[in-house]
Short mmCIF file of all heavy atoms in Angstrom, two decimals:
data_model
loop_
_atom_site.label_atom_id
_atom_site.label_comp_id
_atom_site.label_asym_id
_atom_site.label_seq_id
_atom_site.Cartn_x
_atom_site.Cartn_y
_atom_site.Cartn_z
N ASP A 1409 -3.98 25.73 -0.53
CA ASP A 1409 -2.68 25.26 -1.06
C ASP A 1409 -1.57 25.67 -0.15
O ASP A 1409 -0.37 25.33 -0.34
CB ASP A 1409 -2.44 25.88 -2.47
CG ASP A 1409 -2.63 27.36 -2.50
OD1 ASP A 1409 -2.54 28.03 -1.42
OD2 ASP A 1409 -2.85 27.91 -3.59
N LYS A 1410 -1.87 26.39 0.94
CA LYS A 1410 -0.82 26.69 1.92
C LYS A 1410 -1.47 26.85 3.29
O LYS A 1410 -2.56 27.40 3.45
CB LYS A 1410 -0.19 28.04 1.47
CG LYS A 1410 0.85 28.56 2.37
CD LYS A 1410 1.41 29.90 1.86
CE LYS A 1410 2.37 30.58 2.83
NZ LYS A 1410 2.80 31.89 2.26
N ASN A 1411 -0.70 26.43 4.29
CA ASN A 1411 -1.06 26.63 5.66
C ASN A 1411 0.18 26.87 6.48
O ASN A 1411 1.14 26.16 6.33
CB ASN A 1411 -1.85 25.44 6.25
CG ASN A 1411 -2.46 25.79 7.55
OD1 ASN A 1411 -2.73 26.90 7.85
ND2 ASN A 1411 -2.72 24.76 8.38
N GLU A 1412 0.11 27.95 7.28
CA GLU A 1412 1.33 28.35 8.02
C GLU A 1412 1.05 28.35 9.48
O GLU A 1412 0.00 28.75 9.98
CB GLU A 1412 1.64 29.75 7.58
CG GLU A 1412 3.08 30.22 7.81
CD GLU A 1412 3.40 31.53 7.13
OE1 GLU A 1412 2.58 31.94 6.27
OE2 GLU A 1412 4.39 32.13 7.47
N ASP A 1413 2.04 27.93 10.29
CA ASP A 1413 1.96 27.93 11.76
C ASP A 1413 3.33 28.13 12.24
O ASP A 1413 4.10 27.21 12.40
CB ASP A 1413 1.37 26.60 12.29
CG ASP A 1413 1.15 26.64 13.75
OD1 ASP A 1413 1.46 27.65 14.40
OD2 ASP A 1413 0.69 25.59 14.35
N GLY A 1414 3.65 29.40 12.56
CA GLY A 1414 4.96 29.70 13.10
C GLY A 1414 6.07 29.44 12.10
O GLY A 1414 6.02 29.89 10.97
N ARG A 1415 7.00 28.58 12.50
CA ARG A 1415 8.13 28.24 11.63
C ARG A 1415 7.76 27.18 10.62
O ARG A 1415 8.56 26.92 9.69
CB ARG A 1415 9.30 27.74 12.44
CG ARG A 1415 9.88 28.78 13.42
CD ARG A 1415 11.11 28.26 14.14
NE ARG A 1415 10.83 27.08 14.89
CZ ARG A 1415 11.36 25.87 14.68
NH1 ARG A 1415 12.12 25.62 13.62
NH2 ARG A 1415 11.04 24.84 15.52
N PHE A 1416 6.57 26.60 10.71
CA PHE A 1416 6.17 25.50 9.85
C PHE A 1416 5.12 25.94 8.81
O PHE A 1416 4.14 26.67 9.13
CB PHE A 1416 5.57 24.37 10.67
CG PHE A 1416 6.48 23.85 11.68
CD1 PHE A 1416 6.51 24.38 13.01
CD2 PHE A 1416 7.41 22.87 11.38
CE1 PHE A 1416 7.39 23.86 14.00
CE2 PHE A 1416 8.31 22.34 12.37
CZ PHE A 1416 8.21 22.89 13.63
N THR A 1417 5.41 25.62 7.52
CA THR A 1417 4.42 25.90 6.50
C THR A 1417 4.27 24.63 5.61
O THR A 1417 5.31 24.05 5.26
CB THR A 1417 4.96 27.05 5.58
OG1 THR A 1417 5.22 28.18 6.36
CG2 THR A 1417 3.91 27.43 4.52
N VAL A 1418 3.03 24.30 5.32
CA VAL A 1418 2.76 23.18 4.45
C VAL A 1418 2.22 23.72 3.18
O VAL A 1418 1.31 24.59 3.15
CB VAL A 1418 1.85 22.12 5.13
CG1 VAL A 1418 0.53 22.74 5.59
CG2 VAL A 1418 1.63 20.97 4.23
N PHE A 1419 2.72 23.19 2.06
CA PHE A 1419 2.29 23.56 0.74
C PHE A 1419 1.64 22.33 0.11
O PHE A 1419 2.18 21.26 0.18
CB PHE A 1419 3.40 24.08 -0.12
CG PHE A 1419 4.07 25.33 0.34
CD1 PHE A 1419 5.15 25.31 1.22
CD2 PHE A 1419 3.54 26.55 -0.05
CE1 PHE A 1419 5.72 26.48 1.67
CE2 PHE A 1419 4.13 27.73 0.37
CZ PHE A 1419 5.21 27.72 1.22
N LEU A 1420 0.52 22.58 -0.58
CA LEU A 1420 -0.18 21.49 -1.30
C LEU A 1420 -0.33 21.84 -2.72
O LEU A 1420 -0.90 22.82 -3.07
CB LEU A 1420 -1.53 21.20 -0.61
CG LEU A 1420 -2.44 20.17 -1.32
CD1 LEU A 1420 -1.80 18.78 -1.27
CD2 LEU A 1420 -3.82 20.14 -0.66
N ASN A 1421 0.14 20.91 -3.55
CA ASN A 1421 -0.03 21.02 -4.98
C ASN A 1421 -0.87 19.85 -5.46
O ASN A 1421 -0.41 18.77 -5.69
CB ASN A 1421 1.32 21.01 -5.73
CG ASN A 1421 1.24 21.16 -7.21
OD1 ASN A 1421 0.25 20.91 -7.82
ND2 ASN A 1421 2.32 21.65 -7.78
N LYS A 1422 -2.15 20.16 -5.60
CA LYS A 1422 -3.08 19.04 -5.95
C LYS A 1422 -2.87 18.47 -7.30
O LYS A 1422 -3.05 17.22 -7.43
CB LYS A 1422 -4.55 19.50 -5.78
CG LYS A 1422 -4.94 19.77 -4.34
CD LYS A 1422 -6.42 20.11 -4.21
CE LYS A 1422 -6.77 21.46 -4.75
NZ LYS A 1422 -6.12 22.52 -3.89
N SER A 1423 -2.54 19.31 -8.23
CA SER A 1423 -2.39 18.74 -9.59
C SER A 1423 -1.15 17.82 -9.69
O SER A 1423 -1.21 16.82 -10.41
CB SER A 1423 -2.24 19.92 -10.59
OG SER A 1423 -1.08 20.69 -10.27
N ALA A 1424 -0.18 18.11 -8.86
CA ALA A 1424 1.04 17.27 -8.81
C ALA A 1424 0.85 16.18 -7.78
O ALA A 1424 1.79 15.33 -7.64
CB ALA A 1424 2.28 18.05 -8.63
N LYS A 1425 -0.15 16.22 -6.97
CA LYS A 1425 -0.28 15.34 -5.81
C LYS A 1425 0.96 15.30 -4.98
O LYS A 1425 1.53 14.27 -4.69
CB LYS A 1425 -0.64 13.90 -6.31
CG LYS A 1425 -2.01 13.77 -7.08
CD LYS A 1425 -2.38 12.29 -7.22
CE LYS A 1425 -3.69 12.10 -7.99
NZ LYS A 1425 -3.49 12.48 -9.43
#
Side-chain angles (χ1 to χ4, degrees):
Chain A
D1409 54 21
K1410 177 182 174 181
N1411 189 25
E1412 197 170 348
D1413 183 2
R1415 296 185 298 114
F1416 302 92
T1417 304
V1418 57
F1419 294 92
L1420 175 63
N1421 182 337
K1422 288 186 287 295
S1423 60
K1425 296 193 182 69

